[in-house]
Amino acid sequence: MTPASRHDLVILGAGSGGYAAALRASQLGLDVAIVEAGKLGGTCLHRGCIPTKAWLHAAEVADHARDGDVMGLKTRYDGVQGEVLVDWADGVINRLHKGLTGLVTTSPGITQVEGWGTLVSDREGLGVRVGDDIIRGRNVLVATGARPKTLGLTIDGQRIITSDHALKLAELPRTALVIGGGVIGVEIASAWRSLGVDVTIVEALDRLVPAEEPDISKALLRAFTKRGIATQFGVKVAGATSTATDATLILDDGKTLTADILLVAVGREPATHNLGLTEAGVSVDRGLVRVNDRLMTSVRGVFAVGDVVAGPQLAHRGFAQGMFVAEVVAHQLGRHADNPVLPEDSTLPRVTYCNPEITSVGLTVAAAQRLGEVKSLDYPLGGNGRSIIKGTTGFVRVVRLVDGPIVGVHAIGQGVSELAGEAQLAVGWEALPEDVAEFVHGHPTQGEAFGEACMALAGRPLHVHA
Ligand code: NAI
């Protein structure tokens, strides 16, 4: 094999992490091959972030249609044509897919390969086998993402489903059970409820969105209960059965729950099987690929990013890690002067797009208390003009170390997803509330709630007692 037929980087998986690595590598003048068995864009574009948010947007429009009469609008919600909704969401996906395909195809130095790839590490070096071919590379990046956990239940795709099927449902169920009150569970339950489905969430722990501030979980439970979403906590699932017309969930105390459809949303597991990883010497721990602070695995030259690496499973983390690895490789090959800094998980914004939305960045109050004395302030959206107009309640919580920076921001309320950027800048730049308080926020915006929380923490509140 001549050096010329060896790519600088061969990428396994063209989801958020993989394609971001390919684009950045191309910008840096590397020669890249990207191997994908499905479609460019991966889970985020085809089965995750984008279709879920499309469904949630439709759900919000349905809610607005229902609520129009409050402000004198002659609107009403008469139901949903599932097929049209799925087609419309597919239209959004296709547009983004076309744009992404164009971008990757016109980026210099990227070879796209269709097929299932497996890692090869042999006498000739590293590579990815696709069918009978081996695509050789100086470096290989594993970016194969994650797939739904199933609890060992039989997913028939009709009555017992995962989010993959939920986002393609042409006919909405009348009643639905959702196992798991985490991010996927609450997002899909929220969309279904707005579209008229009778939903019950069953959660193993004692609250919804257990990774969030406990007060956020409480506020979400209140809002969901008001919206007619039923919840059961401390539930242990023993099994599930289905017929042609419904699904039954069996709990370990022998009780059963039946609905038209059962959604399993209990987390996602890294997609690291049948990739030849362990055979090639890559260390894998409970499905997760072990990496060092350069995201390199136990095999020199093999990197891993995104959901296959322990940490929050977020598309934007995949993008950031993919670009990072491209820069590490370019730096090693002498094509990029800077040795990049690994993007931190701790300042990643987390947004859950249920109604009401949740945004959080940084530490909870309890986690911050482990660092020192903490002061936190909740600014109620009930005192924020834009939020009242939107008809939402909730709060923005800013957590600071006493005489120190903002270390956490947690918000709940319809529209607070838009606060993620500012919250992230404040936490990431270790801003003091006093720094933020100097900036005048636009009025009326929901961002003012964040600004006012900082003003209050800085000792000069306007619309709230500190
Ligand atoms: P998750 O980890 O957020 O939630 C799973 C929930 O299921 C947890 O509350 C857990 O306690 C519960 N659970 C586990 N086993 C159970 C059982 N046997 N019975 C009842 N409840 C059980 O996982 P989820 O919601 O599946 O999402 C997977 C990943 O995808 C997450 O890491 C999430 O961050 C990511 N994601 C991100 C989105 C966003 O950024 N907006 C949207 C959707 C998913």
Side-chain angles (χ1 to χ4, degrees), residues 53 151 179-185 187 202-205 210 235 237 265-268 313-314 351-353:
K53 267 79 263 178
L151 291 177
I179 316 180
V183 186
I184 293 181
E187 286 191 348
V202 295
E203 164 60 50
L205 300 179
V235 168
V237 172
V266 293
R268 294 176 63 85
Q313 296 169 319
L314 296 167
V351 181
T352 308
Y353 297 80

Side-chain angles (χ1 to χ4, degrees), residues 357-435:
E357 293 177 340
I358 299 166
T359 287
S360 54
V361 183
L363 302 176
T364 58
V365 171
Q369 278 166 343
R370 290 195 273 276
L371 299 181
E373 210 185 329
V374 165
K375 187 158 185 205
S376 82
L377 189 126
D378 292 358
Y379 189 89
L381 294 185
N384 173 266
R386 191 77 199 281
S387 299
I388 295 175
I389 294 164
K390 281 173 171 276
T392 191
T393 54
F395 61 88
V396 178
R397 171 172 297 176
V398 179
V399 186
R400 80 173 300 178
L401 297 178
V402 169
D403 298 325
I406 297 168
V407 291
V409 179
H410 308 270
I412 182 164
Q414 202 53 350
V416 301
S417 56
E418 296 303 328
L419 302 188
E422 187 176 9
Q424 174 192 22
L425 292 184
V427 173
W429 269 331
E430 299 178 6
L432 300 173
E434 288 79 2
D435 296 330

Side-chain angles (χ1 to χ4, degrees), residues 81-103:
Q81 289 175 270
E83 262 172 50
V84 180
L85 173 44
V86 171
D87 276 355
W88 168 76
D90 282 348
V92 174
I93 294 166
N94 291 340
R95 207 167 137 186
L96 284 164
H97 183 241
K98 213 170 143 197
L100 180 61
T101 304
L103 189 61

Side-chain angles (χ1 to χ4, degrees), residues 17-162:
Y19 83 69
L23 291 173
R24 185 72 186 117
S26 162
Q27 289 162 9
L28 296 170
L30 301 185
D31 174 351
V32 187
I34 185 161
V35 180
E36 170 60 56
K39 284 185 182 166
L40 193 57
T43 300
C44 164
L45 178 53
H46 300 283
R47 295 177 300 282
C49 320
I50 297 299
T52 325
K53 267 79 263 178
W55 275 71
L56 282 154
H57 179 70
E60 194 176 352
V61 173
D63 287 337
H64 287 323
R66 255 190 215 98
D67 298 343
D69 61 338
V70 179
M71 52 204 90
L73 300 177
K74 294 181 183 173
T75 59
R76 56 169 202 265
Y77 176 71
D78 272 345
V80 55
Q81 289 175 270
E83 262 172 50
V84 180
L85 173 44
V86 171
D87 276 355
W88 168 76
D90 282 348
V92 174
I93 294 166
N94 291 340
R95 207 167 137 186
L96 284 164
H97 183 241
K98 213 170 143 197
L100 180 61
T101 304
L103 189 61
V104 173
T105 308
T106 54
S107 294
I110 302 180
T111 305
Q112 297 177 63
V113 182
E114 275 181 40
W116 182 266
T118 52
L119 181 63
V120 174
S121 172
D122 58 17
R123 276 183 296 121
E124 289 186 38
L126 297 172
V128 169
R129 182 189 300 280
V130 183
D132 294 333
D133 296 331
I134 296 182
I135 300 151
R136 292 285 172 183
R138 292 181 175 81
N139 300 277
V140 173
L141 171 61
V142 180
T144 45
R147 58 179 171 219
K149 287 185 188 166
T150 61
L151 291 177
L153 303 176
T154 305
I155 306 295
D156 60 26
Q158 303 289 326
R159 296 290 155 194
I160 305 182
I161 65 171
T162 68

